[in-house]
Amino acid sequence: MHRALPVLAVLAVLTAVWYLGAWRMNTPWALAQAERAGQELSAGELFTATMNQDRPRLPAPHQVATELWKTTGDMALRGKALSKRSLIYHGAITLGSTLTGFALGVALGILGAVAITYSRVAEMSLMPWAIVSQTIPIVALAPMIVVLSNAVGIEGRGVPKAIISAYLCYFPVMVGMVKGLNSPSHQQLDLLKTYNASGAESFFKLRLPASMPYFFTSMKVAIAAALVGTIIGELPTGAISGLGARILIGDQFGTPLAIWAALFAAAILAGVLVTVIGGVQAVVLKRMGMAR
Amino acid sequence: MMAVGAALAFWLATWALNVALARSRWRKARAVRIAVPVIFGLAVLVLWQGLVRGLEVSPVILPAPSDIAVTFANSTETLWEDFVQTVLKGALSGYLIGCGVAFVTAILIDRSAFLTAGLLPIGNFVAALPIVGIAPILVSWFGFDWHSKAAVVVAMVFFPVLVNVVQGLKETEAMQRDLMRTYAASYWQTMLKLRLPAAMPFVFNGLKIATTLALIGAIVAEYFGSPVKGMGFRISTGVGRLAIDLVWAEIAVAALVGTAFYGIVAMIEKFVTFWHPSQRVG
């Protein structure tokens, strides 16, 4: 409670600011409607009129919450959780690509880290390019990757989205793992040498376990990056399923409520994913005796 | 097939050269440290060229680097126009506003422990969110021109920079702050002479993350409507009408700009935080 209080207070202030913004931004439209109908609005009436518009410039928080409930929980209760209009369906599509890309990116990152730890040539030639690769705005490549994978005969968008996610999330894993694999001290490495441990043994019994705290920390960064990558992959024209596509379609059909609901669904998904990894981290590190 | 074989032979030769360089006694020399990745990059380009030419890959799927270079040289005017629209107007103005506002907000928040405790977790959470998603909303609020792109960039860079600055301002130790108090230093003297310099490594960490985010934001926002120029516009329409070599030229510009932007911020960092252990050479 001690730590939740400030967070809740700040959240309350943000919500208040949001309501204020919704009131200010939706006022012109409400006034125009009233003028067309030939009626005068009192201040109170004006306020309620700005809170319940169908296509507001800025929807009020409760509108977004209602829309979010209507497209998730309500549909699930009516047994249509996997209908194409439900955000659960679109969230699942996004989640699938995110996890595929994440797995690919983590595997690449670990392989790269092992190569860099054990081979000086790899370190000298790969590391600078890995850094450069992160300064390139990947979205510039997103439409390109979609076209490319279409051209080589890959149907659908799952693969290109996963590639973009993997591109975004391999780097934090690689950097974290390089640090982690090099974290054992000279003394520890020397000790293994006096035990006559082989390279593989010292990798699996010392370097890999020692890198776990670093690994989980970078996994949390990577899963968030993978989700961003998937959503960016869904944004360029043509996508029809996934949370990013919901944002795109909401934009094309002029339904701001759908955009906001999809945005919040993405935020919730990100929160859940990071929390799950945090939970796994806590359990694994505790069992390995490394809990802090 | 000749071209493929030659490219593969070149790849092996350069890899052998790199191995030799990395094992030689000059491996610590600055020139070698730069040469090795450059040679590696060159080998990748040659391999790409050889594979595309040798396997006769259609230029609609993947153009050869030489084709991209020719397109690049022929369309410098278009590329420059897009650069000005997207990078100078959209990304850079948004970056400056976003980082500036985040910096000032962080210093204001820092005075209240309550606000810091409340905003830091929220900021950390928001920094991990796919904020690019608000691009269509901001485009509909601020119009098609670069203002909406700058707004997207502001929204994207704000929280990462804020979180890093707040974190950085916590860096000083109680001892150091007490020392300033024994000198009878005022709040602003302590801020300017002790806490801000100590925060600089964190500040620059945020600023470096923000460079890439700024370019991403400016380019993605153009997918949702833009005047008939700009890198994102050119890429999305170029893909549509199969002008793939022009798209690659834009990607090359984006890559160069991204690297240069990051490099400039990193250079300023080196100049400002020369005292920090991470800047030590050797």
Side-chain angles (χ1 to χ4, degrees):
Chain A
M1 202 55 217
H2 216 64
R3 288 171 62 190
L5 191 68
V7 177
L8 290 177
V10 171
L11 275 181
V13 170
L14 286 181
T15 319
V17 170
W18 187 350
Y19 268 113
L20 215 65
W23 170 58
R24 285 294 301 264
M25 293 193 68
N26 298 333
T27 298
W29 195 81
L31 283 179
Q33 281 301 97
E35 200 179 282
R36 210 167 300 157
Q39 41 183 221
E40 287 277 314
L41 288 180
S42 69
E45 279 168 346
L46 180 63
F47 187 76
T48 37
T50 55
M51 289 299 134
N52 297 305
Q53 295 173 4
D54 272 346
R55 300 190 166 187
R57 268 164 77 78
L58 176 62
H62 68 265
Q63 282 182 292
V64 178
T66 323
E67 172 79 12
L68 201 55
W69 171 250
K70 253 197 332 207
T71 47
T72 53
D74 189 37
M75 294 193 97
L77 287 184
R78 285 188 288 137
K80 292 199 287 185
L82 294 180
S83 125
K84 289 206 167 157
R85 306 190 48 167
S86 109
L87 281 181
I88 300 176
Y89 166 78
H90 291 285
I93 301 256
T94 301
L95 180 65
S97 300
T98 305
L99 292 182
T100 322
F102 178 66
L104 200 66
V106 169
L108 265 179
I110 293 177
L111 280 182
V114 172
I116 283 173
T117 314
Y118 280 97
S119 149
R120 194 180 297 130
V121 199
E123 187 208 333
M124 287 175 80
S125 30
L126 287 184
M127 205 55 184
W129 288 109
I131 295 169
V132 168
S133 80
Q134 294 306 301
T135 64
I136 297 173
I138 169 69
V139 285
L141 291 168
M144 206 56 235
I145 295 175
V146 173
V147 167
L148 254 179
S149 58
N150 263 337
V152 290
I154 297 165
E155 290 291 318
R157 282 180 159 249
V159 175
K161 280 192 290 186
I163 293 176
I164 296 166
S165 303
Y167 183 99
L168 279 184
C169 74
Y170 90 94
F171 186 73
V173 175
M174 191 173 101
V175 172
M177 281 304 275
V178 168
K179 257 192 203 154
L181 290 175
N182 285 317
S183 62
S185 65
H186 266 292
Q187 277 196 336
Q188 293 169 319
L189 287 168
D190 282 346
L191 179 64
L192 278 196
K193 216 170 281 167
T194 63
Y195 289 163
N196 195 23
S198 69
E201 276 172 332
S202 73
F203 178 77
F204 284 110
K205 296 195 169 153
L206 175 59
R207 284 184 189 263
L208 198 59
S211 70
M212 281 303 123
Y214 296 86
F215 177 63
F216 279 109
T217 310
S218 40
M219 288 256 281
K220 279 196 237 169
V221 180
I223 192 87
L227 183 66
V228 174
T230 308
I231 288 181
I232 288 177
E234 288 166 348
L235 282 182
T237 44
I240 44 169
S241 50
L243 293 176
R246 289 298 290 181
I247 295 173
L248 181 76
I249 293 169
D251 179 47
Q252 285 164 348
F253 288 86
T255 47
L257 277 176
I259 303 184
W260 284 94
L263 273 176
F264 272 82
I268 293 167
L269 190 58
V272 169
L273 287 174
V274 174
T275 315
V276 166
I277 293 194
V280 175
Q281 172 184 31
V283 172
V284 169
L285 290 191
K286 194 165 182 202
R287 302 215 58 178
M288 288 176 72
M290 287 202 256
R292 275 163 296 167
Chain B
M1 279 301 113
M2 270 292 286
V4 179
L8 283 177
F10 185 80
W11 170 275
L12 288 176
T14 48
W15 188 255
L17 176 64
N18 267 351
V19 172
L21 276 176
R23 289 202 183 136
S24 70
R25 61 204 153 90
W26 303 287
R27 62 167 185 268
K28 292 264 164 70
R30 202 181 156 76
V32 173
R33 294 217 74 102
I34 294 173
V36 170
V38 169
I39 293 172
F40 180 78
L42 210 64
V44 171
L45 280 183
V46 170
L47 192 68
W48 176 356
Q49 177 88 19
L51 287 179
V52 168
R53 281 279 181 274
L55 303 175
E56 291 173 356
V57 178
S58 151
V60 177
I61 295 178
L62 188 66
S66 59
D67 297 343
I68 298 169
V70 170
T71 315
F72 192 104
N74 285 340
S75 45
T76 40
E77 246 171 68
T78 323
L79 293 176
W80 174 253
E81 193 186 45
D82 296 345
F83 170 78
V84 170
Q85 171 73 14
T86 304
V87 178
L88 296 187
K89 288 185 183 165
L92 201 59
S93 57
Y95 180 81
L96 293 178
I97 298 172
C99 294
V101 173
F103 193 79
V104 173
T105 314
I107 289 180
L108 292 180
I109 288 175
D110 176 69
R111 293 201 96 157
S112 144
F114 185 79
L115 268 183
T116 315
L119 255 167
L120 209 53
I122 295 177
N124 264 322
F125 178 65
V126 176
L129 294 182
I131 302 187
V132 271
I134 61 164
I137 296 166
L138 292 180
V139 168
S140 77
W141 285 357
F142 294 100
F144 279 178
D145 210 354
W146 59 271
H147 307 90
S148 60
K149 281 67 191 173
V152 174
V153 174
V154 169
M156 281 182 78
V157 302
F158 182 77
F159 280 102
V161 175
L162 178 79
V163 168
N164 272 292
V165 178
V166 171
Q167 203 83 50
L169 287 174
K170 287 183 177 169
E171 262 313 275
T172 49
E173 284 160 31
M175 274 284 237
Q176 297 168 324
R177 288 195 301 273
D178 283 347
L179 181 64
M180 290 306 274
R181 201 169 308 140
T182 61
Y183 290 162
S186 70
Y187 170 81
W188 282 109
Q189 279 172 329
T190 314
M191 189 54 119
L192 286 176
K193 302 202 164 146
L194 171 65
R195 300 184 60 207
L196 275 182
M200 277 305 145
F202 286 82
V203 174
F204 275 99
N205 192 20
L207 291 180
K208 283 195 285 191
I209 297 171
T211 57
T212 323
L213 289 177
L215 280 182
I216 292 183
I219 292 177
V220 169
E222 284 179 2
Y223 295 155
F224 293 98
S226 145
V228 286
K229 53 187 174 181
M231 294 162 79
F233 167 79
R234 201 74 64 191
I235 290 169
S236 55
T237 53
V239 167
R241 58 190 185 88
L242 294 180
I244 302 295
D245 43 356
L246 185 62
V247 173
W248 275 100
E250 290 283 358
I251 291 173
V253 174
L256 286 177
V257 171
T259 314
F261 198 178
Y262 186 93
I264 291 169
V265 175
M267 250 165 59
I268 301 174
E269 175 186 26
K270 216 167 192 165
F271 179 73
V272 175
T273 65
F274 59 90
W275 49 269
H276 194 258
S278 68
Q279 303 292 341
R280 270 176 215 151
V281 184

